[in-house]
Amino acid sequence: MKGVERAILMAAGLGTRMRPLTEHVPKPLVTVRGRPLIETVLAALWARGVAEVAIVTGHLGEQFRPLAAREPRVRLIENPDYARKNNLSSLAVAAEFLAQGDCFICEADLFVADQKLLCQAFPRSGYLGKFVAGWSEDWLFETDRAGRILRIGKGGRDCFNMAGISFFHQADGVRLAQAIIQAAAESVNDGLFWDEVADALVQRRALDLAVYPVEAKAIIECDTVADLRSIEGDD
């Protein structure tokens, strides 16, 4: 039986590629198919039985307060550096939360079409991924034949692309949280993505991560207005 689980939702970004929609609404609260994107992520987490969710806010963060007010399982954590630092800073402010138990880390601008997406076993820490044949410029994972992640980075051929959700058992979450805090303390790292810290741990063999394959349309990251329109067009 799995223990108590939690999740961190990364919702601090400016959403510049989805302007003008995100000039007055944070991207995770943009509506698609009649509901905010973030609520499709939460629905998948609640279906799994996740006990507590921390939403890291920044841009127009006050707009998440009604969600937290009506849902006692949600807490808000503010990232005061969201406008001048990359998302390493968002995970840094939630590092203590990450280290307290088995934890999902989710982008909050996802459209999760399959509410049961997370109702599977995660015997090892790892990332959800979508296999892409041929060359991809996106964030991806190079893996061995057993599905063990060898590299997290941009650009590769016949690899699993990031799907925006990862899961860390507590021992691995503690290692990641410590590394995130150390990296975020150095101003030279202000431009880092938190996944680059995870990759450094993989390279040092301090983390043993797996890829969990998902279907392409089961979960869609919404970066642009065109992404939203493509989802609406699937109806």
Side-chain angles (χ1 to χ4, degrees):
M1 180 181 295
K2 65 182 176 63
V4 174
E5 295 175 343
R6 52 187 51 214
I8 297 168
L9 270 60
M10 309 282 272
L14 293 166
T16 54
R17 287 185 287 173
M18 201 178 281
R19 288 176 177 165
L21 293 181
T22 51
E23 290 178 355
H24 304 290
V25 178
K27 185 164 62 165
L29 294 182
V30 170
T31 298
V32 61
R33 293 192 187 177
R35 65 196 306 200
L37 288 167
I38 195 171
E39 291 192 4
T40 72
V41 184
L42 288 170
L45 293 168
W46 302 147
R48 182 176 172 85
V50 167
E52 187 177 15
V53 171
I55 302 175
V56 182
T57 66
H59 175 58
L60 301 173
E62 68 281 356
Q63 294 189 28
F64 292 95
R65 292 174 188 165
L67 172 59
R70 68 176 179 265
E71 175 48 72
R73 292 172 290 183
V74 169
R75 71 162 74 173
L76 305 181
I77 300 176
E78 181 184 3
N79 175 9
D81 296 320
Y82 75 91
R84 64 185 188 87
K85 296 183 180 181
N86 217 329
N87 74 2
L88 171 65
S89 65
S90 285
L91 196 53
V93 298
E96 181 178 350
F97 185 89
L98 168 63
Q100 290 174 356
D102 295 354
C103 190
F104 289 91
I105 303 174
C106 310
E107 298 300 326
D109 59 352
L110 305 174
F111 177 75
V112 181
D114 180 3
Q115 187 172 315
K116 300 297 184 181
L117 180 73
L118 302 180
C119 296
Q120 61 174 295
F122 294 96
R124 289 160 50 198
S125 300
Y127 285 79
L128 275 63
K130 305 177 188 179
F131 185 76
V132 175
W135 180 262
S136 172
E137 297 284 353
D138 209 343
W139 282 91
L140 49 76
F141 315 106
E142 292 181 0
T143 60
D144 64 15
R145 291 184 178 180
R148 177 178 286 105
I149 293 176
L150 304 176
R151 180 180 77 92
I152 304 169
K154 279 191 171 183
R157 182 176 298 279
D158 298 331
C159 294
F160 285 93
N161 280 19
M162 278 189 184
I165 296 178
S166 56
F167 177 80
F168 291 87
H169 289 279
Q170 184 172 14
D172 291 329
V174 168
R175 294 186 193 98
L176 178 60
Q178 291 171 342
I180 290 289
I181 291 170
Q182 292 172 0
E186 302 290 335
S187 60
V188 68
N189 294 325
D190 287 353
L192 283 186
F193 292 90
W194 75 263
D195 303 280
E196 295 177 271
V197 176
D199 178 62
L201 292 173
V202 167
Q203 301 311 313
R204 299 204 307 267
R205 298 186 178 180
L207 280 181
D208 180 15
L209 303 179
V211 169
Y212 294 94
V214 296
E215 296 296 325
K217 289 190 175 182
I219 178 171
I220 300 171
E221 186 169 8
C222 297
D223 285 328
T224 66
V225 174
D227 292 334
L228 295 178
R229 289 174 177 165
S230 70
I231 295 170
E232 297 284 4
D234 285 340
D235 283 338

